Amino acid sequence: MFNFIKSWLQYSLRVTLLATILVAMTIGVWTPLSYAALPAGNAITDGKALLRYALPIDNKPVRKLQGRLEDIANQLRANKRWGAVSRDLKQASRILDKPSKILASVPEESQEQAEAWINELKSGVTELQEILKNKQKDPVLEGRAKLLKVVSLLEESMVKGYPFEVPEKYSNLPQLKGRATIAFETSKGDLTVVVDGYSAPVTAGNFVDLVQRGFYNGLEFTRSEQSYVLQTGDPPGEEVGFIDPDTGKYRAIPLEILVEGDEEPTYGITLEEAGRYLDMPVLPFSSFGALAMARPENDVDGGSSQVFFFLFEPELTPAGRNLLDGRYSVFGYLIEGRDILDTLKAGDKIESAKVVQGIENLV
């Protein structure tokens, strides 16, 4: 089993922070550490929201609409700011009153369906404004979730083709040219994961291919650390990864990370090694249930079949910065089964894993 990150890294970060603060106190000057340059606002901790933002589209009105609806949860999380929720819905309504700006990014063949979704959103926002008058949190959040599902469909309809080509060096590996949904049956209950080939086509493609082969059926979770990671994918016997029956060789998967603003992923190098310390991956480790590729600590291109779920802990992910982003490839997020994932431990089993949507995207 890969020991993919050491506990001393956590200890080292804390010691560095403490030492810097002590030095600053001594000389009377506080200079923020480089990794303290956090992105504006709070980190996005909802896997579904991260998947929406990761879509390769560029339509500002629909992104503003998405942002307003997602903000409702932030406003209700602590102080129940009903006035702020009302303003979010008013802004969403104004955006939907100009559908042509949203439809401008939708291909002609999908326009009719997109118009229907926009009308559904308009009526849904109006309905939610009425629900809001009762100032009850759960019905408002339920209505918000329904609207965001429609927003997801609308945004997905804007994707035109595949945005880049995988380097020739890795073209022999399975690739996912889009997204796929995986349903896990475990000994504790069911999980649903969406893997994202738009951001990590090789990593996601390898995983979907292995799921399709039945590779994970019957495998145990081999490593669990509370509030940190849950790992699986170590096959029986001496091998630590997948041996391709066609070649008889270990299928090695490169480190693959798409950075915000880049047109294609970087391969074979950590962002730290590339000197990109503050660059943010499109798929970050900021959500409970982020799914990532494990690898030998000293081999960035040595991943194969072992994967891990990140069990979100705020201390490790302050405002989107942590010890894993840029060092390991996230390729998907848990969208259902949070309570189940939180109970799984080493020794529990994956009874079956199936591709329930998106298999046509596997090349």
Side-chain angles (χ1 to χ4, degrees), residues 106-119:
V106 178
E108 185 176 352
E109 63 273 17
S110 302
Q111 289 268 325
E112 184 176 350
Q113 177 61 74
E115 287 181 15
W117 284 326
I118 290 172
N119 289 331

Side-chain angles (χ1 to χ4, degrees), residues 39 258-261 271 276 278-284 319-321 325:
L258 179 63
V259 172
E260 290 180 358
L271 295 187
R276 306 182 67 175
L278 300 181
D279 289 352
M280 284 294 295
V282 170
L283 303 179
R321 295 298 180 190
D325 279 331

